[in-house]
């Protein structure tokens, strides 16, 4: 599995802009998100940065519209809300995330793991590069469904590596912009 962040300069520029210019999550959206999550999942969600929570709510709202009332729609929404939950483990701010994102193309899983065992900013970059796996571990400990855990771990992987149903993965990936 490849360490790291989502590729594509357009995605990264949009995320950076939304972090810099996005207002707080509207209270009705925050309440809606809280209603979708278990108590343990809500605690993880609340530990995310405001920018990450706002992004996740936007992704989940798009997923909600796409899946409608299909079977498993509630799990798909939770997967969307929590797909980036591991980012908080690194404790990086805006500029630290930019540095980590620039390191990502050069860091495989072994290097990210080695960096995460070091100290200081190197450790935090290593943790950030490993955020999908760290998020999956946290979600598993929180008792999240297998699909939510898998999507957190796999959302930057190619389709061939997904264990989630491909159609659902495509829907979740399309909503994550």
């Amino acid at each position: 599995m490849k360490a790291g962040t989502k590729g594509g300069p357009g995605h990264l520029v949009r995320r950076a802009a939304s972090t810099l210019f996005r207002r707080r999550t509207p209270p009705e959206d925050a309440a809606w998100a809280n209603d979708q999550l278990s108590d343990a999942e809500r605690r993880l969600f609340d530990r995310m940065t405001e920018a990450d929570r706002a992004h996740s709510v936007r992704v989940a709202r798009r997923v909600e519209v796409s899946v409608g009332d299909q079977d498993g729609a509630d799990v798909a929404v939770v997967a969307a809300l929590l797909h980036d939950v591991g980012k908080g483990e690194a404790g990086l701010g805006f500029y630290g995330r930019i540095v980590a994102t620039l390191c990502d193309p050069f860091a495989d899983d072994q290097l990210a793991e080695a960096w995460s065992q070091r100290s200081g900013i190197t450790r935090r970059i290593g943790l950030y590069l490993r955020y999908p796996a760290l998020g999956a571990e946290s979600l598993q400990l929180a008792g999240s469904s297998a699909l939510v855990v898998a999507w957190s771990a796999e959302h930057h992987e190619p389709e061939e590596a997904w264990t989630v149903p491909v159609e659902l993965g495509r829907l979740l990936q399309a909503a994550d912009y």
Side-chain angles (χ1 to χ4, degrees):
M1 184 166 26
K2 172 75 175 90
T5 60
K6 187 163 192 169
H11 173 81
L12 299 173
V13 168
R14 283 190 300 276
R15 284 299 310 273
S18 71
T19 298
L20 285 174
F21 302 114
R22 181 75 180 170
R23 285 180 251 129
R24 297 183 63 79
T25 304
E28 61 275 9
D29 283 343
W32 172 83
N34 283 333
D35 288 344
Q36 311 305 309
L37 304 171
S38 71
D39 289 341
E41 290 169 335
R42 193 173 306 114
R43 284 190 292 277
L44 292 174
F45 185 76
D46 288 345
R47 288 183 13 209
M48 294 169 67
T49 66
E50 176 59 32
D52 288 339
R53 284 193 310 269
H55 164 71
S56 291
V57 167
R58 288 190 305 274
V59 172
R61 288 291 201 181
R62 289 190 284 266
V63 166
E64 181 185 45
V65 169
S66 296
V67 297
D69 60 359
Q70 295 176 35
D71 285 343
D74 53 341
V75 176
V77 166
V78 172
L81 284 168
L82 298 173
H83 73 283
D84 282 342
V85 75
K87 287 183 177 181
E89 297 297 319
L92 286 175
F94 179 76
Y95 295 109
R97 286 183 177 200
I98 290 174
V99 171
T101 300
L102 293 172
C103 290
D104 182 53
F106 308 103
D108 61 11
D109 285 343
Q110 282 186 308
L111 184 58
E113 175 64 28
W115 285 356
S116 70
Q117 301 303 313
R118 300 191 78 187
S119 62
I121 189 70
T122 304
R123 172 179 169 72
R124 292 178 15 208
I125 289 171
L127 290 171
Y128 189 82
L129 293 174
R130 295 186 60 239
Y131 89 81
L134 296 173
E137 289 172 16
S138 295
L139 291 165
Q140 189 167 28
L141 290 171
S144 294
S145 78
L147 187 141
V148 171
V149 172
W151 189 245
S152 177
E154 299 169 3
H155 72 281
H156 292 303
E157 296 296 326
E159 275 186 25
E160 309 81 58
W162 294 348
T163 61
V164 301
V166 172
E167 289 305 315
L168 179 59
R170 286 178 182 161
L171 184 144
L172 287 161
Q173 191 174 61
D176 187 13
Y177 60 87

